[in-house]
Amino acid sequence: MKIGRGVRQGCSLSPILFNLYPECLTKEALEGFGDFKIGGQIIHTVKYADDLVLLAKEEKVLQDMTDKLIEFYVHCGNTGPT
């Protein structure tokens, strides 16, 4: 998907897209992962503002999640991790 332009600063659509994009990215990329439960719910991530925390019980699962997110991020047309 080639994106030619973003939204103007102050546009009311900007915060919606800011929240929607990472939510869709992590939901799609991390499907099938999930061994960390809080209150009976499988939790993959904790997000606050522009921060993302990945949750896993084992280091290997955490690394696999990180690799999958990077792979998916690049597949969506981004340049890779920064």
Side-chain angles (χ1 to χ4, degrees):
M1 168 178 12
K2 181 155 172 62
I3 298 173
R5 216 171 244 183
V7 295
R8 290 186 186 268
Q9 186 172 357
C11 175
S12 61
L13 190 57
S14 183
I16 295 169
L17 293 174
F18 180 81
N19 288 323
L20 188 61
Y21 180 73
E23 184 63 30
C24 293
L25 173 76
T26 55
K27 185 174 253 181
E28 180 82 18
L30 299 179
E31 182 145 345
F33 289 99
D35 61 348
F36 197 90
K37 289 186 178 183
I38 298 176
Q41 293 270 47
I42 295 174
I43 306 293
H44 297 115
T45 61
V46 176
K47 300 177 201 85
Y48 181 77
D50 63 348
D51 295 324
L52 172 70
V53 177
L54 299 176
L55 302 171
K57 289 182 181 177
E58 299 173 10
E59 185 177 348
K60 167 111 175 71
V61 174
L62 187 60
Q63 185 62 55
D64 290 345
M65 290 169 77
T66 303
D67 294 344
K68 185 68 174 179
L69 270 176
I70 291 169
E71 175 187 320
F72 195 78
Y73 187 77
V74 171
H75 176 75
C76 289
N78 296 289
T79 58
T82 58

